[in-house]
Amino acid sequence: YNGSDILVASGYAGYAACMEKLEKWQEASEFYKKAQKEAPDFVEASNYLYLAALNAMEVNDFDTAKNLLNKIVEDYKDSQRERDAKAQLIMIAQK
C-alpha cells in the first residue's frame, strides 16, 4: 500500500476490524487510531476515531475514549460520526 495514505489507512482499519473480531479491543483501538492519523482527511477518518473510542470503552479506558470522541466533535464537525460522538460523550459522563 506504500504511496497511498488511504490504502495504508484502510489496511490499518482492516487489521483493527480483525482484532475486534478476536476481542482484542485495545489493539483494535490502537490500529483504528493509526488509520485516522495516516489519512486524517479521508472520509472514513472520523469513523476510525469513533471505532477506536468504542474499542477503548470495551477495556474501560474512558479517558482515551473521551479524548477520541472530543476530537471528532472538534475536528470533524460535518462528519457522520459527530452526533454519535456527542451521544457517546453523554453516556460516558453518566458513568
Side-chain angles (χ1 to χ4, degrees):
Y1 299 138
N2 194 15
S4 172
D5 295 343
I6 291 172
L7 288 179
V8 172
S10 297
Y12 285 145
Y15 181 80
C18 292
M19 293 301 98
E20 277 181 313
K21 185 74 174 165
L22 296 172
E23 298 181 357
K24 294 184 177 185
W25 294 294
Q26 184 67 40
E27 190 169 356
S29 181
E30 293 302 319
F31 274 85
Y32 280 126
K33 287 190 282 187
K34 281 186 177 188
Q36 183 274 333
K37 285 180 184 174
E38 186 67 35
D41 295 327
F42 181 40
V43 68
E44 287 295 315
S46 64
N47 191 48
Y48 295 155
L49 286 178
Y50 185 75
L51 293 170
L54 293 182
N55 280 281
M57 287 188 284
E58 286 288 341
V59 294
N60 297 318
D61 187 355
F62 295 106
D63 289 336
T64 295
K66 281 192 262 186
N67 290 336
L68 294 168
L69 294 166
N70 280 319
K71 184 169 180 60
I72 294 168
V73 171
E74 293 168 12
D75 295 351
Y76 297 97
K77 293 180 190 326
D78 296 326
S79 75
Q80 297 173 330
R81 288 299 190 178
E82 190 220 5
R83 288 184 186 159
D84 296 332
K86 286 179 178 179
Q88 287 294 336
L89 285 166
I90 291 167
M91 290 173 32
I92 290 171
Q94 294 176 355
K95 293 186 179 203

